[in-house]
Amino acid sequence: MEAGFIAAVEEARAGLAEGGIPIGSALVIDGRVVGRGHNRRVQQGSPILHGEMDALENAGRLPASAYRRATIYTTLSPCPMCTGAILLYEIPRVVVGENRTFIGAEDLLRANGVEVVVLDDPECVGMMESFIAANPDLWSEDIGEE
């Protein structure tokens, strides 16, 4: 298993343990994890702190050329907001843990030349299925639904 994906899953577990939504992410550049994070909307009272956004934030400021060599790992298919950040920074590859519980803007990523790899990882599916069943209102809020 790739280090970036392992880090993303660890972050999802951490988010769940904190009482948040179990979605984790890691940004990898030249084979090295440079930023990792998890959905902290609940913990921080934030409307935008999804896993991918947290990982990008924790990577800090980087030159544009660094993002263009990056892969972002995420335990769940990226929503339109996170997809926008991926496209803005021209990150060429996204590795998704699962997209059974939620399919984000994968088609938009692909239409813009981003390689999208879906692992269909059983742990990622299980974490999200359990979370959504136990917290349907919180999940709806996270993806902008009523």
Side-chain angles (χ1 to χ4, degrees), residues 27-30 56 64-73 83 85-95 106 108-117:
L27 184 69
V28 174
I29 300 173
D30 300 331
L56 289 167
S65 61
Y67 294 109
R68 294 181 189 131
R69 299 189 315 272
T71 296
I72 193 160
Y73 293 81
T83 292
I86 291 164
L87 293 175
L88 175 68
Y89 290 108
E90 299 181 26
I91 297 170
R93 185 169 183 256
V94 178
V95 177
E106 292 176 20
L108 180 59
L109 289 167
R110 289 184 186 102
N112 282 276
V114 176
E115 177 188 4
V116 178
V117 177

Side-chain angles (χ1 to χ4, degrees), residues 5 74-77 96-102 106 118-121 124-126 128-129:
F5 183 66
T74 179
T75 58
L76 185 67
S77 183
V96 176
E98 69 101 351
N99 64 0
R100 285 194 218 176
T101 59
F102 176 78
E106 292 176 20
V118 179
L119 301 177
D120 197 29
D121 180 77
C124 293
V125 173
M128 286 308 300
E129 285 179 344

Side-chain angles (χ1 to χ4, degrees), residues 33 39 44 52 64 70 78 83 90 98 105 132 144:
V33 176
N39 186 306
Q44 299 293 320
E52 299 91 336
T83 292
E90 299 181 26
E98 69 101 351
I132 292 168

